[in-house]
Every structure is written in C-alpha cells, then in structure tokens.
C-alpha cells in the first residue's frame, strides 16, 4: 500500500477512536464504574447492540476493542487478510 494511504488510515483511525472514546465517556456519565474499571465494562452489554446487529452479544469492552480494530484497518476475517496480503505483494 502507498505510504500516504497508510498514514491516512492511521490518522483516521486515531480520530475515529478518539471520537468513540469521548462518546462512550459521555454516555458513562458520572457512574462509579466508568472506564476506570474494565471488568465492569466486560460485564455490561454493548450500548450499540440495539442499533448495530454486529454488536449483539458483545460487551462494552469487546465493542471498544472491535472499534479499535476497525479504526486501525485490521482485517476481520482470514479471507480479508489473504486478500490484503495478495494486494501488498502485487
């Protein structure tokens, strides 16, 4: 992949992740469990499960990790990983 495209992915990923963290922090409000206790986030269902069917069954912690992977362009399947490797080799 081209260097400028990779840089764009990184910058876009950081911006998207930052926006997500701010959104989740505001939604958590003043609760004592907030982001200081990841175990509590791993017990609570994803807040986006009602709007996004790919979030159904995920905890809030899983949802945060998933958002991070997507923001940084990590492939979600083995087939996608193989396709990206073939593109890099060409």
């Amino acid at each position: 992949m081209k260097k400028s495209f990779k840089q764009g992915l990184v910058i876009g990923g950081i911006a998207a992740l930052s926006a997500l963290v701010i959104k989740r922090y505001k939604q958590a409000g003043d609760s004592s469990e907030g982001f200081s206790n990841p175990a509590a986030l791993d017990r609570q269902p994803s807040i986006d499960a009602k709007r996004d069917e790919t979030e159904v069954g995920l905890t809030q912690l899983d949802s945060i990790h998933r958002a991070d992977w997507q923001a940084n362009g990590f492939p979600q399947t083995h087939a996608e990983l193989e396709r990206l490797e073939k593109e890099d080799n060409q």
Side-chain angles (χ1 to χ4, degrees):
M1 290 197 274
K2 293 184 177 184
K3 185 177 180 180
S4 61
F5 179 74
K6 287 181 181 180
Q7 289 174 338
L9 276 177
V10 170
I11 291 170
I14 292 170
L17 183 59
S18 298
L20 178 67
V21 168
I22 291 169
K23 176 183 170 189
R24 298 270 170 109
Y25 181 78
K26 287 180 179 179
Q27 288 175 343
D30 294 330
S31 72
S32 61
E33 293 186 351
F35 286 108
S36 62
N37 187 355
L41 291 175
D42 203 25
R43 289 190 300 266
Q44 299 170 354
S46 171
I47 57 175
D48 294 327
K50 294 177 184 174
R51 293 182 295 253
D52 186 359
E53 65 183 41
T54 59
E55 294 278 326
V56 173
L58 297 181
T59 65
Q60 286 185 8
L61 187 62
D62 293 337
S63 178
I64 291 169
H65 288 303
R66 180 178 178 275
D68 184 36
W69 296 336
Q70 287 181 331
N72 289 311
F74 291 117
Q76 300 293 312
T77 64
H78 289 290
E80 188 178 348
L81 180 62
E82 290 172 3
R83 182 183 57 79
L84 289 172
E85 286 175 353
K86 286 180 184 176
E87 286 179 4
D88 279 344
N89 291 333
Q90 292 179 353

